[in-house]
Structures are given as structure tokens and as C-alpha cells.
């Protein structure tokens, strides 16, 4: 059956009225508050069907700061800041900018690890017929770009789940174009980040990164999803910003809750943990696991 709407044979006051449009071809109607449940369903279905069409069976989600630059960008920005400071060495603002750029250059090592991780995983797990452990990110720059870039380096596909924001978020150029999605609802984006994932790999980041991390920790802790490797890159960073041991001492989490995640320092170490976990876990969900 052809579902495309046919234009009216004659334009009249009646055929030009919004009420005459087919419901599925009427944006004003679809955007009504009462249609929110329908929009939620559509936002769940579209990525699901596209991922199935591309034979993507499982993913690995990589999250981290959008503000971590690539090594080439970090070096360029640092050189520019140093040159400006050399011209006016007594300028306090230029000194702060130069120091910030130096710090940023130090953090780009995380970009390199994320890029290498994306390449290692993609080379090891994807075939032309079936695509497992496909890199999935939030679609933005920084660490997300690096992971998608690693998959692109390997000649494999990767997924980006962008979100519409007040300040436009442009998909990074390394996402497979056919697998670049845009979400309106954070809740649906969060579901798709976890529906197929076999591991969560988290690099240093800010509020968005912490949001995804703690939501996943909570879902595993409460048995809503099966246990999986949750790997935190850069133990020094994570221990400095989150005192997990203090949470145990305060009695707000159990000592065993610290076993839900692990610290890692290299792409090779992360992939070894993930591949070893999957071999040991098999396909049987953990007791109490409830599908999303």
C-alpha cells in the first residue's frame, strides 16, 4: 500500500485547511501536547528499526567530555596562546589562557586513548554480516568524536545519538552518516544508549558524563539491567572528583557496590576486560534482570 499522501486534485478552502491534512502528514497536529506519547513511541522506534536494518546486534557506549580536544587541535590552540602571551607577557588574561591551553593539551591523551579504543574494538568485533560491539556515543565532539573516529579509522561503522539542545549540537564527522540520530527526549536517548550495550566506557567528563555513569550504576545496582563492564578511564581523575569510599563509610552504598565498576588506564586493558567478561558471562541474564 502506498502510504504517501496524495495532493488534493483541486485547491479549495476546504482542502487548504489544516484539518484536511492526513494526521501523519500534519506537523502542527503531531506537535500538540496530547500527541507526546506518540512522539515518544516514534523516537523509540525509528533508531531501533534503523539499527536492525544495519544488522547492529550489540554496542559499546563511550562517554566523556565534549571539551577534550584532539591532539592536533590542542597543539594548535596552545601555540596560538603562547604566541599571544609572548607579545604581551604581562597580560594576566593571556597568562590564564595560555595555562588553560597547556592543561587542555595534557588532557588530549584521553582523546588518543578513546580513539585507539574505538579502533581496537571495531576491528575485533565487526564483520560485514553481523556487527557486534559497535561503538555508540552521544554524537558530539571531544571524547565522543575520538571513539567514533577510531571506528572510522578501522573502516567500520559507529553510531552517534545526538540530542537537540538550545545551543545546536552538530554530529561529529566520524559517525557513520546512516547511523547519526537526533533525539528530542533525553529519556529515549538514554534507553537507546543501553538497549544493546555490552559495556559502558567512561572517560573524564562533566555533568552529562556523570549523569550517564550514575544512571547505569543505579540500573545495575537495582537489577534493572544485567551486570556489564562499567569502566572508568583515569583512576586519578575519578578518585579526585568522586569519593566512592566515603559513600561506603556513610552507609549510602554497600561495599559490594564498588565492584560494579572498574578503573582502567589503556584501551587495550579496557578491551581485554570487556572481551573476557563476555566469554565468562555467556548469554544468560543475571538473576533479577529486567529488560529495558
Amino acid at each position: 500500500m502506498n502510504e504517501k499522501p496524495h495532493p488534493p486534485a483541486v485547491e479549495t478552502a476546504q482542502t487548504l485547511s489544516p484539518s484536511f491534512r492526513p494526521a501523519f502528514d500534519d506537523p502542527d497536529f503531531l506537535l500538540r501536547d496530547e500527541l507526546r506519547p506518540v512522539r515518544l513511541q516514534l523516537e523509540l522506534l525509528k533508531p531501533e528499526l534503523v539499527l536492525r536494518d544495519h544488522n547492529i546486534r550489540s554496542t559499546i557506549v563511550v562517554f566523556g567530555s565534549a571539551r577534550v580536544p584532539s591532539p592536533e587541535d590542542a597543539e594548535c590552540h596552545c601555540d596560538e596562546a603562547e604566541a599571544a602571551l609572548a607579545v604581551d607577557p604581562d597580560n594576566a588574561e593571556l597568562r590564564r589562557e595560555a595555562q588553560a591551553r597547556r592543561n587542555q593539551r595534557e588532557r588530549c591523551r584521553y582523546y588518543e586513548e578513546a580513539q585507539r579504543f574505538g579502533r581496537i574494538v571495531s576491528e575485533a568485533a565487526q564483520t560485514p554480516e553481523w556487527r557486534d560491539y559497535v561503538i555508540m556515543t552521544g554524537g558530539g565532539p571531544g571524547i565522543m568524536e575520538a571513539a567514533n573516529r577510531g571506528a572510522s579509522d578501522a573502516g567500520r561503522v559507529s553510531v552517534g545519538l545526538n540530542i537537540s539542545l538550545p545551543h545546536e549540537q552538530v554530529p561529529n564527522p566520524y559517525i557513520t552518516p546512516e547511523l547519526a540520530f537526533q533525539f528530542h527526549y533525553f529519556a529515549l536517548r538514554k534507553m537507546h544508549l543501553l538497549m544493546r550495550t555490552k559495556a559502558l566506557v567512561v572517560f573524564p567528563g562533566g555533568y552529562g558524563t556523570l549523569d550517564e555513569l550514575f544512571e547505569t550504576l543505579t540500573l545495575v545496582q537495582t537489577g534493572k539491567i544485567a551486570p556489564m563492564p562499567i569502566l572508568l578511564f583515569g583512576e586519578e581523575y575519578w578518585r579526585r572528583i568522586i569519593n566512592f569510599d566515603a559513600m561506603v563509610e556513610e552507609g549510602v552504598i554497600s561495599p559490594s557496590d564498588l565492584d560494579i565498576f572498574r578503573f582502567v588506564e589503556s584501551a587495550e586493558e579496557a578491551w581485554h576486560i570487556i572481551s573476557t567478561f563476555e566469554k565468562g558471562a555467556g548469554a544468560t541474564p543475571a538473576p533479577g534482570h529486567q529488560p529495558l
Side-chain angles (χ1 to χ4, degrees):
M1 180 184 297
N2 184 1
E3 295 285 352
K4 291 184 179 179
H6 297 287
V10 180
E11 288 190 352
T12 67
Q14 290 75 26
T15 64
L16 291 175
S17 170
S19 64
F20 194 74
R21 297 176 196 155
F24 64 87
D25 194 41
D26 186 347
D28 292 332
F29 173 71
L30 291 173
L31 291 174
R32 289 178 59 131
D33 285 347
E34 297 89 340
L35 270 290
R36 185 172 290 112
V38 174
R39 295 196 299 274
L40 287 165
Q41 185 177 23
L42 290 173
E43 199 153 281
L44 175 66
L45 276 173
K46 181 180 177 180
E48 174 64 19
L49 296 178
V50 173
L51 291 172
R52 287 186 191 180
D53 290 344
H54 285 81
N55 297 323
I56 294 176
R57 302 193 297 185
S58 61
T59 61
I60 293 177
V61 171
V62 179
F63 253 89
S65 176
R67 304 182 187 188
V68 173
S70 65
E72 53 268 31
D73 286 345
E75 197 64 44
C76 178
H77 295 158
C78 194
D79 289 345
E80 291 173 353
E82 296 287 3
L85 181 62
V87 174
D88 188 5
D90 296 325
N91 189 310
E93 184 175 343
L94 291 178
R95 283 202 303 273
R96 284 194 297 270
E97 177 67 14
Q99 186 58 53
R101 293 302 186 182
R102 294 183 202 114
N103 294 340
Q104 206 172 49
R105 185 171 59 185
E106 288 298 313
R107 290 199 302 273
C108 74
R109 66 186 177 89
Y110 292 121
Y111 186 106
E112 295 175 305
E113 285 298 331
Q115 184 177 355
R116 185 158 63 250
F117 178 76
R119 178 180 55 77
I120 290 172
V121 171
S122 300
E123 286 178 342
Q126 287 191 42
T127 70
E129 294 78 23
W130 292 107
R131 290 160 172 167
D132 284 301
Y133 298 98
V134 174
I135 293 294
M136 176 180 278
T137 76
I143 293 297
M144 296 171 283
E145 174 188 293
N148 290 124
R149 185 176 180 177
S152 179
D153 292 342
R156 306 299 201 274
V157 303
S158 68
V159 183
L161 305 187
N162 288 75
I163 186 81
S164 58
L165 299 170
H167 302 287
E168 183 180 2
Q169 184 198 48
V170 178
N172 73 67
Y174 301 102
I175 303 166
T176 302
E178 297 81 7
L179 300 173
F181 301 96
Q182 180 174 216
F183 287 80
H184 177 73
Y185 298 104
F186 267 107
L188 271 298
R189 181 178 184 245
K190 288 171 179 288
M191 284 195 69
H192 273 290
L193 284 167
L194 292 177
M195 283 172 63
R196 282 177 167 79
T197 193
K198 296 292 185 181
L200 176 67
V201 178
V202 189
F203 285 80
Y207 285 162
T209 302
L210 293 173
D211 176 45
E212 298 297 338
L213 169 61
F214 277 99
E215 178 163 33
T216 307
L217 291 174
T218 301
L219 290 171
V220 172
Q221 180 197 48
T222 57
K224 287 292 185 179
I225 61 174
M228 69 174 82
I230 299 175
L231 307 179
L232 309 188
F233 260 85
E235 182 173 359
E236 180 183 0
Y237 173 84
W238 290 106
R239 289 200 181 278
R240 191 169 79 252
I241 66 167
I242 305 171
N243 193 333
F244 293 104
D245 293 327
M247 295 173 75
V248 174
E249 292 169 6
E250 292 291 332
V252 294
I253 63 172
S254 301
S256 60
D257 291 332
L258 298 179
D259 298 329
I260 298 175
F261 64 89
R262 293 179 64 172
F263 298 109
V264 295
E265 301 299 333
S266 72
E268 292 79 6
E269 180 187 7
W271 174 235
H272 175 73
I273 292 171
I274 292 168
S275 56
T276 302
F277 180 92
E278 189 64 16
K279 290 176 183 176
T284 305
H289 164 235
Q290 301 176 37
L292 287 173

